[in-house]
Structures are given as C-alpha cells and as structure tokens.
Amino acid sequence: MVKLTTPSLADDILRLKKERNAVILAHNYQSREIQELADYVGDSLGLAYKAKETSADVIAFCGVHFMAETAKIVNPKKIVVLPDANAGCSLEQSCPGPQLEKFLQVNAAKNYYVIAYINCSAAVKALSDCICTSGNAVRIVQAAPMDRLILFVPDQNLGAWVMEQTGRKMDLWQGSCYVHVEFTRDSINAIKQQHPDAKVVAHPECTYAVRLLADEVCSTEKMVSYCRDSSSSAFIIVTESGMLHRLEREVPDKKFIPGPTGHCACADCRYMKMNTLEKLHDCLLHLRPQVNLPEDVRLRAEKPILRMLELSR
Ligand code: 13P
Ligand code: SF4
C-alpha cells in the first residue's frame, strides 16, 4: 500500500492519541490519510456503536458535526473533539429543530411517529421517536407501531427508498443531500457504457432515477461486504469519494470505478473534506473544538438513539 501520510505529522498524532488516551473514529468519507490513522473506520451506525462502547477518555471524531454530537449524546462523560467544528451536513441544515417543532404542533392531530435519519441535529433527535441510519432504516421502519403514521425526516430520498422496500406509507420531510442528488442517470449511464460488466452500487440518498440503475442500494458499510462477496470484479461506486479508499483497502483484488472526468460518479462532500491531518493533530493537542450540549436536550436525544441501537443488534 502507498503511504501518503507525512511521517512526522502522523507520528505526532499517534503520540498525542496515546498521551490523551484517545480513540480516533473516522467515517468512510474521510481522506485516505485520516482513514489510515483511525482506530475504526465505518458508517454512521458502526461509529455510533463504537462511540458508545469506547473506554478511551477522548473521542476524536473525524466525520461531520452531527456524528460527533451523536458520540457525545451516547457517551457524555467523554471529551468529544472534531477536527473542524464547521463540518456540517446539508441534510441536517434542511431540517432545523424549531421548524420541525412547529410542524409537529401544526399537525398534532396526525399524531406522527417521527423517525429521524441520524443526519440531523440533537434538537431534531430530541423531537423524534426513533433514529435510523441508512444501514438500518428498513428495519427501524418495519418496527414502528402499525397504528401510527410515520413522519420521516429529513431525507426524502432515503425515505422514498425505505417506502419502496417496506411498502409502508410515510410522510417525508423534503430534505436532501447536496452530494448525492448531483448524480444523474446520464452520468451513470455514460460510465456504464465504458464498464458494461461493472455492478452499480449506490447510496440510498441518491434520487429515484439513479437508484433504478443500481444493482445494489445500501449504506457505506454494506458496500464493503457487497463488493467483497459479489462474484463481480468491478464496481461503479455512486457515493462520496472517500468510500473508494475504504473499498480499495478492504477489497484490494477488485476494481472500483469513480467515473471518468465529466461524468463523475464519486464526488467530494465539502463538509467531510474540511477535516485534515493538521486539524486532527490540533484538536488532539488543544482538545478543541469540543462538542457539548445542554443536558436536557442530550437526554431527550439519547432515548431515540438507544431505541435504534437496541433494534439494530
Ligand atoms: P452511511 O451511514 O451510509 O455511512 O451514510 C452517512 C452519510 O452521511 C451519507 O451521506
Ligand atoms: Fe451530509 Fe451529504 Fe455530506 Fe453525507 S455526503 S455528510 S449527507 S452533505
């Protein structure tokens, strides 16, 4: 494997990690350098479990803010730092807590059972009955009380895909991921023409038109096992570009196609890519920026997350 990390910086990070008794958790969309240094690399669900279970004193969370916030919610005694506090998420931004609260008040007669995709703020989680990730959304929706109408927030595309999978009708918040809605049928078809034997693997945040072209629609973690277990040797990966590092590392004998220039099937999330090795170093050194939240909000947000973790075991 080619080692891209500057040795002294990587060594400094590992030294600080030891001094701080820290664990480095990284999402599959992080840069190759960060993935190589992390103790664990995974999807939102795997990261939530790891954050809850860790005995380290410090969690250095290389992902976006809502992921680090989730770590703090499920393991509040730990110091949770993230390399860049501005690493947000367009899905989180599409559903502000006060707006959801107002919506639920106005629609109180519907007595919604609220399922929130984990890509949302603690305020939104605190208003929800259960949280889900892309990896367990189908299971969580299937487990929802049959006599309640589900409001699924904030991702309309994941919500629509879950409706297709379960046959369960839900009202959908109209949010979306700015990265995944950029992929188009034409761009995927152009790549398919060049690689006719490759399987198309897409994240459920993609639009219906793109999902229709996919051989597999799944979470980032499932992408690893799907590609490993498939009899195919080449895959067009329709999600954020960081996923390619994880796949190339875990399934080195297969080919992962990000798409030719101009027809890119793998794009950067500008929020995920705000994290750098330098910022990871600094957050471990200064223990800043930290994620903290009011205890009443944390307690209300924790409940639906724990429900999800129990239902996903
Ligand atoms: P996963 O939980 O599938 O990794 O998805 C997280 C995400 O932010 C996708 O854009
Ligand atoms: Fe949010 Fe989309 Fe980035 Fe995932 S890829 S963190 S959903 S903006």
Side-chain angles (χ1 to χ4, degrees), residues 19-21 36 38 40 44 54 59 103 111 113 136 142 157 165 170 178 182 213 216 221 224 248 303:
E19 280 171 22
R20 297 291 193 196
N21 187 24
E36 281 180 1
Y40 175 81
S44 312
T54 187
I59 300 172
F103 181 88
N111 188 27
Y113 186 84
N136 62 18
Q142 282 168 338
N157 289 301
Q165 302 301 302
M170 306 191 289
Y178 91 98
E182 282 294 305
L213 287 177
E216 177 71 8
E221 196 58 34
V224 178
E248 282 162 0
K303 248 182 165 173

PDB file of all heavy atoms in Angstrom, residues 19-21 36 38 40 44 54 59 103 111 113 136 142 157 165 170 178 182 213 216 221 224 248 303:
ATOM      1  N   GLU A  19      -1.037   9.842  24.510  1.00  0.00           N
ATOM      2  CA  GLU A  19      -0.979  10.719  25.695  1.00  0.00           C
ATOM      3  C   GLU A  19      -2.365  11.070  26.212  1.00  0.00           C
ATOM      4  O   GLU A  19      -2.585  11.167  27.415  1.00  0.00           O
ATOM      5  CB  GLU A  19      -0.245  12.022  25.338  1.00  0.00           C
ATOM      6  CG  GLU A  19       1.259  11.873  25.331  1.00  0.00           C
ATOM      7  CD  GLU A  19       1.945  13.116  24.773  1.00  0.00           C
ATOM      8  OE1 GLU A  19       1.348  14.227  24.777  1.00  0.00           O
ATOM      9  OE2 GLU A  19       3.071  12.960  24.295  1.00  0.00           O
ATOM     10  N   ARG A  20      -3.276  11.308  25.297  1.00  0.00           N
ATOM     11  CA  ARG A  20      -4.651  11.709  25.663  1.00  0.00           C
ATOM     12  C   ARG A  20      -5.541  10.530  25.984  1.00  0.00           C
ATOM     13  O   ARG A  20      -6.693  10.709  26.346  1.00  0.00           O
ATOM     14  CB  ARG A  20      -5.293  12.482  24.493  1.00  0.00           C
ATOM     15  CG  ARG A  20      -4.628  13.783  24.132  1.00  0.00           C
ATOM     16  CD  ARG A  20      -4.848  14.784  25.207  1.00  0.00           C
ATOM     17  NE  ARG A  20      -4.490  16.143  24.809  1.00  0.00           N
ATOM     18  CZ  ARG A  20      -4.303  17.125  25.672  1.00  0.00           C
ATOM     19  NH1 ARG A  20      -4.421  16.890  26.954  1.00  0.00           N
ATOM     20  NH2 ARG A  20      -4.011  18.333  25.262  1.00  0.00           N
ATOM     21  N   ASN A  21      -5.048   9.327  25.796  1.00  0.00           N
ATOM     22  CA  ASN A  21      -5.883   8.117  25.851  1.00  0.00           C
ATOM     23  C   ASN A  21      -7.128   8.331  24.980  1.00  0.00           C
ATOM     24  O   ASN A  21      -8.268   8.255  25.440  1.00  0.00           O
ATOM     25  CB  ASN A  21      -6.281   7.756  27.287  1.00  0.00           C
ATOM     26  CG  ASN A  21      -6.992   6.409  27.331  1.00  0.00           C
ATOM     27  OD1 ASN A  21      -6.812   5.572  26.442  1.00  0.00           O
ATOM     28  ND2 ASN A  21      -7.847   6.204  28.329  1.00  0.00           N
ATOM     29  N   GLU A  36      -6.305   5.958   7.361  1.00  0.00           N
ATOM     30  CA  GLU A  36      -5.157   5.101   7.712  1.00  0.00           C
ATOM     31  C   GLU A  36      -4.732   5.251   9.171  1.00  0.00           C
ATOM     32  O   GLU A  36      -4.173   4.333   9.756  1.00  0.00           O
ATOM     33  CB  GLU A  36      -3.974   5.399   6.780  1.00  0.00           C
ATOM     34  CG  GLU A  36      -4.162   4.729   5.434  1.00  0.00           C
ATOM     35  CD  GLU A  36      -3.020   4.991   4.473  1.00  0.00           C
ATOM     36  OE1 GLU A  36      -2.056   5.685   4.861  1.00  0.00           O
ATOM     37  OE2 GLU A  36      -3.110   4.507   3.338  1.00  0.00           O
ATOM     38  N   ALA A  38      -6.926   6.062  11.657  1.00  0.00           N
ATOM     39  CA  ALA A  38      -8.054   5.857  12.578  1.00  0.00           C
ATOM     40  C   ALA A  38      -8.022   4.476  13.227  1.00  0.00           C
ATOM     41  O   ALA A  38      -7.507   3.513  12.660  1.00  0.00           O
ATOM     42  CB  ALA A  38      -9.359   6.050  11.813  1.00  0.00           C
ATOM     43  N   TYR A  40     -10.885   3.091  14.029  1.00  0.00           N
ATOM     44  CA  TYR A  40     -12.053   2.446  13.432  1.00  0.00           C
ATOM     45  C   TYR A  40     -12.568   3.343  12.321  1.00  0.00           C
ATOM     46  O   TYR A  40     -12.670   4.562  12.481  1.00  0.00           O
ATOM     47  CB  TYR A  40     -13.148   2.242  14.502  1.00  0.00           C
ATOM     48  CG  TYR A  40     -14.424   1.683  13.930  1.00  0.00           C
ATOM     49  CD1 TYR A  40     -14.567   0.314  13.688  1.00  0.00           C
ATOM     50  CD2 TYR A  40     -15.494   2.523  13.615  1.00  0.00           C
ATOM     51  CE1 TYR A  40     -15.734  -0.194  13.143  1.00  0.00           C
ATOM     52  CE2 TYR A  40     -16.667   2.009  13.071  1.00  0.00           C
ATOM     53  CZ  TYR A  40     -16.779   0.652  12.852  1.00  0.00           C
ATOM     54  OH  TYR A  40     -17.933   0.137  12.309  1.00  0.00           O
ATOM     55  N   SER A  44     -22.290   5.448   9.754  1.00  0.00           N
ATOM     56  CA  SER A  44     -22.848   6.166  10.910  1.00  0.00           C
ATOM     57  C   SER A  44     -23.264   5.209  12.020  1.00  0.00           C
ATOM     58  O   SER A  44     -23.100   5.514  13.200  1.00  0.00           O
ATOM     59  CB  SER A  44     -24.082   6.968  10.492  1.00  0.00           C
ATOM     60  OG  SER A  44     -23.830   7.705   9.357  1.00  0.00           O
ATOM     61  N   THR A  54     -16.657   2.796  23.671  1.00  0.00           N
ATOM     62  CA  THR A  54     -15.233   3.049  23.924  1.00  0.00           C
ATOM     63  C   THR A  54     -14.927   3.343  25.400  1.00  0.00           C
ATOM     64  O   THR A  54     -15.723   3.965  26.097  1.00  0.00           O
ATOM     65  CB  THR A  54     -14.692   4.214  23.065  1.00  0.00           C
ATOM     66  OG1 THR A  54     -13.283   4.268  23.251  1.00  0.00           O
ATOM     67  CG2 THR A  54     -15.295   5.552  23.465  1.00  0.00           C
ATOM     68  N   ILE A  59     -12.717  11.104  22.510  1.00  0.00           N
ATOM     69  CA  ILE A  59     -13.099  10.600  21.184  1.00  0.00           C
ATOM     70  C   ILE A  59     -12.758  11.699  20.176  1.00  0.00           C
ATOM     71  O   ILE A  59     -13.324  12.798  20.239  1.00  0.00           O
ATOM     72  CB  ILE A  59     -14.611  10.273  21.123  1.00  0.00           C
ATOM     73  CG1 ILE A  59     -14.982   9.200  22.155  1.00  0.00           C
ATOM     74  CG2 ILE A  59     -15.001   9.826  19.702  1.00  0.00           C
ATOM     75  CD1 ILE A  59     -16.498   8.955  22.281  1.00  0.00           C
ATOM     76  N   PHE A 103     -43.911  22.315  12.893  1.00  0.00           N
ATOM     77  CA  PHE A 103     -44.634  21.403  12.001  1.00  0.00           C
ATOM     78  C   PHE A 103     -45.409  20.367  12.820  1.00  0.00           C
ATOM     79  O   PHE A 103     -46.562  20.056  12.520  1.00  0.00           O
ATOM     80  CB  PHE A 103     -43.625  20.711  11.063  1.00  0.00           C
ATOM     81  CG  PHE A 103     -44.258  19.770  10.077  1.00  0.00           C
ATOM     82  CD1 PHE A 103     -44.718  20.218   8.842  1.00  0.00           C
ATOM     83  CD2 PHE A 103     -44.402  18.419  10.383  1.00  0.00           C
ATOM     84  CE1 PHE A 103     -45.304  19.337   7.938  1.00  0.00           C
ATOM     85  CE2 PHE A 103     -44.991  17.535   9.485  1.00  0.00           C
ATOM     86  CZ  PHE A 103     -45.443  18.000   8.265  1.00  0.00           C
ATOM     87  N   ASN A 111     -50.725  12.866  14.993  1.00  0.00           N
ATOM     88  CA  ASN A 111     -50.058  12.023  15.998  1.00  0.00           C
ATOM     89  C   ASN A 111     -48.899  11.228  15.377  1.00  0.00           C
ATOM     90  O   ASN A 111     -48.805  10.007  15.508  1.00  0.00           O
ATOM     91  CB  ASN A 111     -51.082  11.077  16.639  1.00  0.00           C
ATOM     92  CG  ASN A 111     -50.505  10.320  17.818  1.00  0.00           C
ATOM     93  OD1 ASN A 111     -49.576  10.794  18.476  1.00  0.00           O
ATOM     94  ND2 ASN A 111     -51.021   9.125  18.073  1.00  0.00           N
ATOM     95  N   TYR A 113     -45.535   9.388  14.341  1.00  0.00           N
ATOM     96  CA  TYR A 113     -44.390   8.663  14.902  1.00  0.00           C
ATOM     97  C   TYR A 113     -43.201   9.170  14.084  1.00  0.00           C
ATOM     98  O   TYR A 113     -43.114   8.932  12.877  1.00  0.00           O
ATOM     99  CB  TYR A 113     -44.585   7.150  14.738  1.00  0.00           C
ATOM    100  CG  TYR A 113     -43.515   6.323  15.415  1.00  0.00           C
ATOM    101  CD1 TYR A 113     -43.609   6.010  16.769  1.00  0.00           C
ATOM    102  CD2 TYR A 113     -42.416   5.852  14.700  1.00  0.00           C
ATOM    103  CE1 TYR A 113     -42.623   5.252  17.401  1.00  0.00           C
ATOM    104  CE2 TYR A 113     -41.432   5.084  15.319  1.00  0.00           C
ATOM    105  CZ  TYR A 113     -41.553   4.793  16.675  1.00  0.00           C
ATOM    106  OH  TYR A 113     -40.586   4.043  17.295  1.00  0.00           O
ATOM    107  N   ASN A 136     -29.857   0.741   8.773  1.00  0.00           N
ATOM    108  CA  ASN A 136     -30.937   0.034   9.486  1.00  0.00           C
ATOM    109  C   ASN A 136     -32.316   0.636   9.243  1.00  0.00           C
ATOM    110  O   ASN A 136     -33.283   0.257   9.921  1.00  0.00           O
ATOM    111  CB  ASN A 136     -30.645   0.001  10.995  1.00  0.00           C
ATOM    112  CG  ASN A 136     -30.578   1.402  11.589  1.00  0.00           C
ATOM    113  OD1 ASN A 136     -31.045   2.356  11.002  1.00  0.00           O
ATOM    114  ND2 ASN A 136     -29.990   1.525  12.765  1.00  0.00           N
ATOM    115  N   GLN A 142     -39.861  -0.901   9.793  1.00  0.00           N
ATOM    116  CA  GLN A 142     -40.677  -2.111   9.993  1.00  0.00           C
ATOM    117  C   GLN A 142     -41.073  -2.296  11.459  1.00  0.00           C
ATOM    118  O   GLN A 142     -42.110  -2.870  11.751  1.00  0.00           O
ATOM    119  CB  GLN A 142     -39.917  -3.353   9.499  1.00  0.00           C
ATOM    120  CG  GLN A 142     -39.947  -3.481   7.989  1.00  0.00           C
ATOM    121  CD  GLN A 142     -38.973  -4.535   7.466  1.00  0.00           C
ATOM    122  OE1 GLN A 142     -38.003  -4.886   8.142  1.00  0.00           O
ATOM    123  NE2 GLN A 142     -39.225  -5.018   6.254  1.00  0.00           N
ATOM    124  N   ASN A 157     -35.076  11.204  -0.089  1.00  0.00           N
ATOM    125  CA  ASN A 157     -34.661  10.092  -0.959  1.00  0.00           C
ATOM    126  C   ASN A 157     -34.509   8.791  -0.187  1.00  0.00           C
ATOM    127  O   ASN A 157     -34.999   7.748  -0.616  1.00  0.00           O
ATOM    128  CB  ASN A 157     -33.374  10.460  -1.698  1.00  0.00           C
ATOM    129  CG  ASN A 157     -33.629  11.516  -2.742  1.00  0.00           C
ATOM    130  OD1 ASN A 157     -34.431  11.309  -3.650  1.00  0.00           O
ATOM    131  ND2 ASN A 157     -33.000  12.671  -2.602  1.00  0.00           N
ATOM    132  N   GLN A 165     -39.023  -0.327  -0.147  1.00  0.00           N
ATOM    133  CA  GLN A 165     -38.569  -1.601   0.435  1.00  0.00           C
ATOM    134  C   GLN A 165     -39.606  -2.218   1.368  1.00  0.00           C
ATOM    135  O   GLN A 165     -39.729  -3.439   1.445  1.00  0.00           O
ATOM    136  CB  GLN A 165     -37.263  -1.411   1.235  1.00  0.00           C
ATOM    137  CG  GLN A 165     -36.100  -0.846   0.458  1.00  0.00           C
ATOM    138  CD  GLN A 165     -35.719  -1.702  -0.734  1.00  0.00           C
ATOM    139  OE1 GLN A 165     -35.404  -2.875  -0.601  1.00  0.00           O
ATOM    140  NE2 GLN A 165     -35.788  -1.115  -1.914  1.00  0.00           N
ATOM    141  N   MET A 170     -45.301   6.711   4.310  1.00  0.00           N
ATOM    142  CA  MET A 170     -44.800   7.668   5.304  1.00  0.00           C
ATOM    143  C   MET A 170     -44.918   9.071   4.723  1.00  0.00           C
ATOM    144  O   MET A 170     -44.913   9.251   3.502  1.00  0.00           O
ATOM    145  CB  MET A 170     -43.308   7.408   5.597  1.00  0.00           C
ATOM    146  CG  MET A 170     -42.965   5.998   6.017  1.00  0.00           C
ATOM    147  SD  MET A 170     -41.271   5.849   6.636  1.00  0.00           S
ATOM    148  CE  MET A 170     -40.269   6.049   5.163  1.00  0.00           C
ATOM    149  N   TYR A 178     -26.831  17.259  -0.695  1.00  0.00           N
ATOM    150  CA  TYR A 178     -26.437  18.001  -1.901  1.00  0.00           C
ATOM    151  C   TYR A 178     -25.450  17.204  -2.771  1.00  0.00           C
ATOM    152  O   TYR A 178     -25.368  17.428  -3.976  1.00  0.00           O
ATOM    153  CB  TYR A 178     -25.871  19.376  -1.504  1.00  0.00           C
ATOM    154  CG  TYR A 178     -24.378  19.386  -1.298  1.00  0.00           C
ATOM    155  CD1 TYR A 178     -23.514  19.816  -2.295  1.00  0.00           C
ATOM    156  CD2 TYR A 178     -23.813  18.914  -0.100  1.00  0.00           C
ATOM    157  CE1 TYR A 178     -22.137  19.794  -2.108  1.00  0.00           C
ATOM    158  CE2 TYR A 178     -22.450  18.892   0.085  1.00  0.00           C
ATOM    159  CZ  TYR A 178     -21.616  19.325  -0.927  1.00  0.00           C
ATOM    160  OH  TYR A 178     -20.253  19.288  -0.749  1.00  0.00           O
ATOM    161  N   GLU A 182     -26.668  15.166  -6.890  1.00  0.00           N
ATOM    162  CA  GLU A 182     -25.939  15.621  -8.085  1.00  0.00           C
ATOM    163  C   GLU A 182     -25.749  14.497  -9.108  1.00  0.00           C
ATOM    164  O   GLU A 182     -25.521  14.741 -10.278  1.00  0.00           O
ATOM    165  CB  GLU A 182     -24.556  16.149  -7.685  1.00  0.00           C
ATOM    166  CG  GLU A 182     -24.560  17.534  -7.088  1.00  0.00           C
ATOM    167  CD  GLU A 182     -24.978  18.574  -8.105  1.00  0.00           C
ATOM    168  OE1 GLU A 182     -24.367  18.643  -9.180  1.00  0.00           O
ATOM    169  OE2 GLU A 182     -25.947  19.302  -7.818  1.00  0.00           O
ATOM    170  N   LEU A 213     -30.997   2.496 -11.540  1.00  0.00           N
ATOM    171  CA  LEU A 213     -29.876   1.939 -12.319  1.00  0.00           C
ATOM    172  C   LEU A 213     -28.966   1.049 -11.477  1.00  0.00           C
ATOM    173  O   LEU A 213     -28.070   0.392 -12.008  1.00  0.00           O
ATOM    174  CB  LEU A 213     -29.012   3.075 -12.877  1.00  0.00           C
ATOM    175  CG  LEU A 213     -29.582   3.899 -14.027  1.00  0.00           C
ATOM    176  CD1 LEU A 213     -28.604   5.010 -14.370  1.00  0.00           C
ATOM    177  CD2 LEU A 213     -29.818   3.011 -15.245  1.00  0.00           C
ATOM    178  N   GLU A 216     -27.185  -2.561  -6.494  1.00  0.00           N
ATOM    179  CA  GLU A 216     -27.314  -2.621  -5.036  1.00  0.00           C
ATOM    180  C   GLU A 216     -27.431  -1.194  -4.496  1.00  0.00           C
ATOM    181  O   GLU A 216     -26.660  -0.322  -4.883  1.00  0.00           O
ATOM    182  CB  GLU A 216     -26.089  -3.338  -4.429  1.00  0.00           C
ATOM    183  CG  GLU A 216     -26.063  -3.408  -2.925  1.00  0.00           C
ATOM    184  CD  GLU A 216     -27.117  -4.368  -2.337  1.00  0.00           C
ATOM    185  OE1 GLU A 216     -27.774  -5.103  -3.101  1.00  0.00           O
ATOM    186  OE2 GLU A 216     -27.284  -4.355  -1.107  1.00  0.00           O
ATOM    187  N   GLU A 221     -21.252   1.012   4.794  1.00  0.00           N
ATOM    188  CA  GLU A 221     -20.645  -0.201   5.361  1.00  0.00           C
ATOM    189  C   GLU A 221     -21.028  -1.431   4.543  1.00  0.00           C
ATOM    190  O   GLU A 221     -20.214  -2.307   4.266  1.00  0.00           O
ATOM    191  CB  GLU A 221     -21.095  -0.373   6.812  1.00  0.00           C
ATOM    192  CG  GLU A 221     -20.258  -1.335   7.616  1.00  0.00           C
ATOM    193  CD  GLU A 221     -18.780  -0.948   7.669  1.00  0.00           C
ATOM    194  OE1 GLU A 221     -18.459   0.250   7.687  1.00  0.00           O
ATOM    195  OE2 GLU A 221     -17.945  -1.878   7.669  1.00  0.00           O
ATOM    196  N   VAL A 224     -19.007  -2.396   1.461  1.00  0.00           N
ATOM    197  CA  VAL A 224     -17.785  -3.191   1.608  1.00  0.00           C
ATOM    198  C   VAL A 224     -18.113  -4.682   1.488  1.00  0.00           C
ATOM    199  O   VAL A 224     -17.505  -5.406   0.690  1.00  0.00           O
ATOM    200  CB  VAL A 224     -17.078  -2.897   2.958  1.00  0.00           C
ATOM    201  CG1 VAL A 224     -15.840  -3.767   3.116  1.00  0.00           C
ATOM    202  CG2 VAL A 224     -16.718  -1.420   3.066  1.00  0.00           C
ATOM    203  N   GLU A 248     -10.848   0.125  -1.513  1.00  0.00           N
ATOM    204  CA  GLU A 248      -9.557  -0.335  -2.061  1.00  0.00           C
ATOM    205  C   GLU A 248      -8.713  -1.003  -0.981  1.00  0.00           C
ATOM    206  O   GLU A 248      -7.947  -1.915  -1.257  1.00  0.00           O
ATOM    207  CB  GLU A 248      -8.810   0.857  -2.686  1.00  0.00           C
ATOM    208  CG  GLU A 248      -9.388   1.200  -4.057  1.00  0.00           C
ATOM    209  CD  GLU A 248      -9.008   2.587  -4.542  1.00  0.00           C
ATOM    210  OE1 GLU A 248      -8.278   3.315  -3.820  1.00  0.00           O
ATOM    211  OE2 GLU A 248      -9.453   2.953  -5.645  1.00  0.00           O
ATOM    212  N   LYS A 303     -32.660   9.027  24.028  1.00  0.00           N
ATOM    213  CA  LYS A 303     -33.712   7.990  24.040  1.00  0.00           C
ATOM    214  C   LYS A 303     -33.942   7.346  22.667  1.00  0.00           C
ATOM    215  O   LYS A 303     -33.851   6.119  22.539  1.00  0.00           O
ATOM    216  CB  LYS A 303     -35.026   8.629  24.509  1.00  0.00           C
ATOM    217  CG  LYS A 303     -35.508   8.155  25.856  1.00  0.00           C
ATOM    218  CD  LYS A 303     -36.803   8.854  26.108  1.00  0.00           C
ATOM    219  CE  LYS A 303     -37.569   8.223  27.217  1.00  0.00           C
ATOM    220  NZ  LYS A 303     -38.733   9.031  27.542  1.00  0.00           N
TER     221      LYS A 303
END
